[in-house]
Amino acid sequence: MVQQSESESRKLLSRLQAVMAEPVEGQERLDRITHLIADSMGTEVCSIYLLRDADTLELCATQGLAPEAVHVTRMRIGEGLVGRVAKHSRPINTANAPAERGFRYMPETGEERYSSFLGVPIMRLGERLGVLVVQSKDEREYSDDEVYALEVVAMVLAEMTELGAFTGEGAALRERHKAQVMLRGGCAQEGAAMGHVWLHEPRVVVTRPVADDPAVELDRLRAAVDRLRVDVDRMLDHVAPGDAEQREVLEAYRMFARSRGWMRRMEEDIARGLSAEAAVEKEQSTARARMETVPDAYLRDRLHDLDDLSNRLLRLLTGQGRDTGAELPDDPILVARNIGPAELLDYGRRLKGVVLEEGSVGSHAAIVARALAIPLVIHASRITTEALNGDFILVDGDEGVVHLRPEDAVASAFRDKLAMQAAAQERYASIRDKPAEALCGTVVSLHMNAGLMADLPSLPSSGAEGVGLFRTELQFLTRNKVPRRGELAALYSRVMDAAGGKRVVFRTLDIGSDKVLPYMKPTEEPNPALGWRAIRVGLDKPGVMRMQLQALIRAANGRPLTVMFPFIAQFDEFTQARDHLLRELEREAALGRVLPESLQIGAMLETPSLGFAPRQFYELADFISIGGNDLKQFFFAADRENERVRRRYDTLNVSYLTFIEQIVNRCAETGTALSFCGEDAGRPVEAVCFAAMGLRSLSMRPASIGPVKSLLRRVDLQEARAVIDHARGSGAQSVRPVVMDWLRRNA
Ligand code: PEP
Ligand code: MG
């Protein structure tokens, strides 16, 4: 066999390219390619095996083996030497194939005559497409150079497969992208949606895998890598000094961007005839294949970094980016590895749903998706490799399931589900202007939670009586610098305008814990949920809070104003925050500004401690709102972001309900208005139980108002209370089973 020098590799690639350009049918093209490779590499045999389905390889073309075996010989992944190359995504190089472990004799191919065997995987971005094999009669191992040369050829073949150069039975990839895929992830925002895939960052398509002039390609690669390094350095410069985590990620990026090994491998690929982008993709592919087999999570993350970096480099080299010229479908379902809150807001309500490969329940993207009420499934592994732009897709945010290219039966069951939801919406619309009056005559007032200007149109359509919680942090989270007072005042004023005189409870900035501002100097905290967050930040560094309070007073401009302070854990935090507000009022008055017509100052009860605060706290607060999301995590000591424990304790647990009852009673003693604004208020069964415990005001996502009102109107709260009390007396852990049973019979 001829040694494969770099220049021979280049010659082979350009001959390959010429074959690819010939106007012949797919099979003939494959045949010519195998002939060409065998000839150029001086081997008796060259064969191409392609994946027929997820686990079957088929001999699709050969030079040297029996022609009758083409499209007949098949093997499973892992079976025989060819199957093992595919399984482990690694070359097998042996001088004596029949003696090799795993060798399987295929009589129809006549291959027993060949001794040496070299097989390399055909992969595209870590995805198996097939195996390329050369064989010879002489008993010799192939040199590293030859292995390398064959890998480069396999890379070019992979690109050509993707480009549709191979048609007919070997087009395993295309077949695969037609098949239905069901992925299970996590729910981050409920709701169901049906639509077409819109890839946030479409894959870069390498249209020119082979290049004529390696010197030009080397220059292109080096220029792009230089730009990449500058970009990474710039990103590092922008990391806030204390943000150790982001710094660590970017340091790893920088390390990879400066990796000599990575650069050297790509330079070698280019020297053998690949274009710069094909070289990047070849190394990315190898890293991806490794990613699947690395058990260590830390190392896997680092390989992910390398993957990200390769994507950036590919975009720099090809000029391809997000704008591929494709049009956003009418019913877009956004598919991405991950997405930032600002990017998600840019898409806004046009999106029907979002599916992320990564993400977390507490991520900013999830907060935005929740605010926009867009179903969101996270941790849908492989979705970005499986999905193609325009694919039909179903997103079930309630179950955390995604169906990509669903079969008709699945799609029609899903349509039924959507129709049932739509019918329910109609029922809710019919009671929109009616009160949430239970059969016993008790009326519960229902309000909505909001955080964006875009939420306000839901106020009239949902039937909410007002905004029970306006989370002000979203304007802070989605910008890269602190918003100015004037901007905020204008925004808050527009929110009040849009509310048309209905009450809006503005909660002052609740940051820290999971909500970290990009421009805030982060502090390394062992347990951020228990750390320096919300009012603690507001009181220790009052500048931003005071600015926000001024903006609120100015926005009210003579209208009533309601302000709520988050995460109050003891009385004096409330008095101090309240004093800040009163001082700002005095200042504004001194400046001659119009003061609010009336002012209500409330506190969020999010830590159990406040349930035991002195009576004077309850007397001073104009109102209290239970932040159940936080309260529950502290009550049960179970992190609301931790998938392992967050569902472990039931909201209808007897201890928790009893604690809520205690807060209701304390507020009743002092005549303090009380509401509940955590997510649980929007769950109909929970809402009924809260109302039965004495809560008369609930605030929830606008979409939950219909279902909650509908159930409240069908039950007698006194009966509900009796059922709950009976369960409490029986020593039950949760009242849910008996309440559900009672509802089934009575609602
Ligand atoms: C809560 O904790 O219940 C709450 C409403 O606040 P957030 O979810 O914004 O922390
Ligand atoms: Mg909270």
Side-chain angles (χ1 to χ4, degrees), residues 507 510 515 533 567 604 606 627 629-630 640:
R507 176 176 79 180
D510 181 3
K515 303 173 199 160
R533 51 174 293 200
F567 213 65
M604 281 191 82
E606 305 188 83
N629 305 338
D630 275 311
R640 67 194 257 191

Side-chain angles (χ1 to χ4, degrees), residues 499-691:
K502 289 184 174 166
R503 180 174 184 250
V504 180
V505 180
F506 287 96
R507 176 176 79 180
T508 61
L509 196 54
D510 181 3
I511 45 153
S513 185
D514 61 310
K515 303 173 199 160
V516 181
L517 301 183
Y519 40 85
M520 191 174 119
K521 204 170 98 194
T523 38
E524 184 85 8
E525 292 189 297
N527 200 337
L530 305 175
W532 197 55
R533 51 174 293 200
I535 199 66
R536 300 172 183 178
V537 179
L539 292 177
D540 294 355
K541 296 246 184 260
V544 174
M545 185 174 78
R546 282 178 40 206
M547 180 273 283
Q548 197 185 16
L549 293 172
Q550 289 158 11
L552 283 167
I553 296 167
R554 292 182 192 185
N557 193 24
R559 291 177 280 194
L561 177 64
T562 308
V563 177
M564 173 161 80
F565 294 106
F567 213 65
I568 299 288
Q570 59 182 15
F571 184 22
D572 87 323
E573 287 174 341
F574 181 63
T575 50
Q576 284 180 42
R578 189 173 175 276
D579 287 348
H580 273 295
L581 176 52
L582 297 179
R583 261 199 305 278
E584 291 316 319
L585 268 183
E586 276 170 27
R587 287 211 182 98
E588 292 294 299
L591 289 172
R593 295 193 189 271
V594 188
L595 295 189
E597 176 193 288
S598 59
L599 179 64
Q600 286 193 312
I601 311 176
M604 281 191 82
L605 193 157
E606 305 188 83
T607 62
S609 62
L610 210 57
F612 303 93
R615 183 184 169 94
Q616 286 78 355
F617 161 71
Y618 285 83
E619 284 168 351
L620 189 66
D622 292 321
F623 65 94
I624 288 170
S625 191
I626 300 176
N629 305 338
D630 275 311
L631 180 63
K632 192 176 159 197
Q633 77 165 339
F634 297 123
F635 190 80
F636 290 109
D639 188 344
R640 67 194 257 191
E641 305 298 342
N642 184 336
E643 293 297 329
R644 268 204 152 144
V645 297
R646 76 188 185 93
R647 280 183 232 267
R648 190 178 176 96
Y649 304 99
D650 191 357
T651 304
L652 302 187
N653 175 295
V654 164
S655 318
Y656 191 58
L657 282 186
T658 305
F659 185 57
I660 287 183
E661 179 187 38
Q662 177 187 317
I663 301 165
V664 168
N665 291 342
R666 295 208 64 191
C667 285
E669 281 167 20
T670 48
T672 315
L674 176 66
S675 71
F676 189 110
C677 65
E679 299 297 318
D680 287 325
R683 303 197 166 96
V685 178
E686 279 80 342
V688 164
C689 293
F690 292 160

